[in-house]
Amino acid sequence: MNERVWSISLLLFLSTVVAFAQTTNRNLKAPLPNEWEESGEVFQQILPVNDHWWKSFQDTKLDSLIAVAIDRNYSVAMAIDRIAAARANLWMERGNFFPSIALNTGWTRQETSGNTSTLPQSADHYYDASLSMSWEIDVFGSIRKRVKAQKENFAASKEEYTGVMISLAAEVASSYINLRELQQELEVVKKNSASQEEVLKITEVRFNTGLVAKLDVAQAKSVLYSTKASIPQLEAGINQYITSLAVLLGMYPQDVRPILEPVGKLPDYMEPIGIGMPVDLLMRRPDVRSAERTVNAQAALLGASKSDWLPKFFLKGSFGYAARDLNDLMKSKSMTYEIAPALSWTIFSGGQLVNATRLAKAQLDESINQFNQTVLTAVQEVDNAMNSYKNSIKQIVALREVRNQGIETLKLSLDLYKQGLSPFQNVLDAQRSLLSYENQLVQAQGSSLLQLIALYKALGGGWGE
């Protein structure tokens, strides 16, 4: 009977190994986009991606904000706590490699009944002190595999910490760029308002001299007030990004307003960037590496669950002293000891071992599917960010030319209007168009920087090793 059970357990163990090998072969093997391997005007194959990518913006205030966020952000603190918890779990599991030793001391008094047997009633007492030991000998690797699983979980927690740092740097940089973009839009509005006020003065002078109708004055005021009406909305948006940055920095808004409210320029950055080699792009991402660690951990747990089908060997023992008289406790005649090697083999458990293995197998399959999904998401994010950044640069180049032509159009139309050679409507159209062009240019510059930040985040840059 024992030989049959042993054979069944061994066959089940081997079948699990084969199944695991087949399962792990299901990992993603689809090729990455071909265009990633092509060099171009915007992207260069340079390895590795600069970890402190935000320093390329040459904005010392942004550098300081990210440094403060790294030091004070609560998401980072929670990630550190998760690492500490994973490390504790690892050392707890490693503790199973060692014997468990306990110290037992006490005094015992017992009295037997004289009415339960022919023996007379009696009382006895004794003192004892001993060390007991229990040690599981890891013959089939159950403990080793569970330790490996916790080691992989610990490594995954460190990858999650890296991911938090990358996301934090990207969020701070994105909020900062959005803040500067709105501040620049506000400056554009104020500058155009000043220009429109000058045009209004010109129309008033021409009206007072009888050269034009009052309609020109009313239209000039309409354009001016329409431009000024956008200021409150921009100021509200600026306040929102200041409060968002305050949360990321782990501070209150009133503490950061003096630093962030002064108007700052958008970083003037339109440079080719190094994106690394395609395979390394994905493998440097902490979410991909964390998913890979999770697969390894689940694979180890599956192996451990299979080891539970096999016998467990224990070495138990104790050594101590016992005596009726406390003065005799430490004498050699009072010494006691016990050595008890033991074997434990679960033959029937109501399906618990079977279902534990099924659970481990299902969790392994889930982790593999999650790994594949993570890789696909990484490919999508990198590809989208690359295309968006490349096209944003083209848009900025075009909008700069449009803005320059808008300035020239306003100048010419205003000159012709002063000479009475052109209707005021041309000046109004030129004013509206120039305001729109300048706003679009600022927005495109901000969007380009945001796409660049998204690209570095997608590449796993920002807090690598």
Side-chain angles (χ1 to χ4, degrees), residues 181 184-185 188-189 191-192 196 227 395-411 413 426-446:
E181 178 187 325
Q184 287 302 306
E185 287 186 43
V188 167
V189 168
K191 184 184 71 173
N192 278 269
Q196 291 165 6
T227 302
Q395 185 184 26
I396 291 174
V397 173
L399 285 174
R400 281 178 176 174
E401 186 61 31
V402 172
R403 187 269 315 269
N404 294 337
Q405 294 303 316
I407 294 174
E408 183 68 14
T409 300
L410 177 59
K411 179 178 179 299
S413 62
N426 291 343
V427 178
L428 296 174
D429 292 342
Q431 285 180 323
R432 295 190 185 100
S433 296
L434 179 58
L435 176 61
S436 176
Y437 297 154
E438 291 188 336
N439 273 331
Q440 290 179 31
L441 178 58
V442 171
Q443 291 169 1
Q445 290 172 330

Side-chain angles (χ1 to χ4, degrees), residues 23 40 104 111 128 139 141 174 250 273 281 301 319 340 399 410 427 432 437 457:
T23 303
N104 306 292
E111 184 171 343
D128 69 280
V139 175
S174 296
I273 62 172
L281 290 181
L301 289 176
F319 175 82
L399 285 174
L410 177 59
V427 178
R432 295 190 185 100
Y437 297 154
K457 180 181 176 181

Side-chain angles (χ1 to χ4, degrees), residues 26-100:
R26 293 168 51 192
N27 286 353
L28 186 71
K29 293 184 180 297
L32 299 179
N34 293 330
E35 59 269 20
W36 286 18
E37 301 179 359
E38 298 175 1
S39 59
E41 296 179 356
V42 178
F43 304 109
Q44 300 170 349
Q45 302 292 345
I46 301 174
L47 186 68
V49 175
N50 182 18
D51 289 325
H52 296 164
W53 48 264
W54 56 85
K55 291 187 177 180
S56 61
F57 294 154
Q58 297 182 356
D59 190 317
T60 56
K61 189 164 290 186
L62 174 60
D63 298 342
S64 299
L65 292 175
I66 292 178
V68 172
I70 289 169
D71 182 58
R72 303 190 54 164
N73 185 267
Y74 290 108
S75 296
V76 174
M78 289 186 288
I80 294 174
D81 292 337
R82 287 193 292 270
I83 290 177
R87 182 187 290 109
N89 281 329
L90 173 59
W91 283 105
M92 284 172 58
E93 202 65 52
R94 282 178 173 172
N96 292 325
F97 281 127
F98 304 98
S100 175

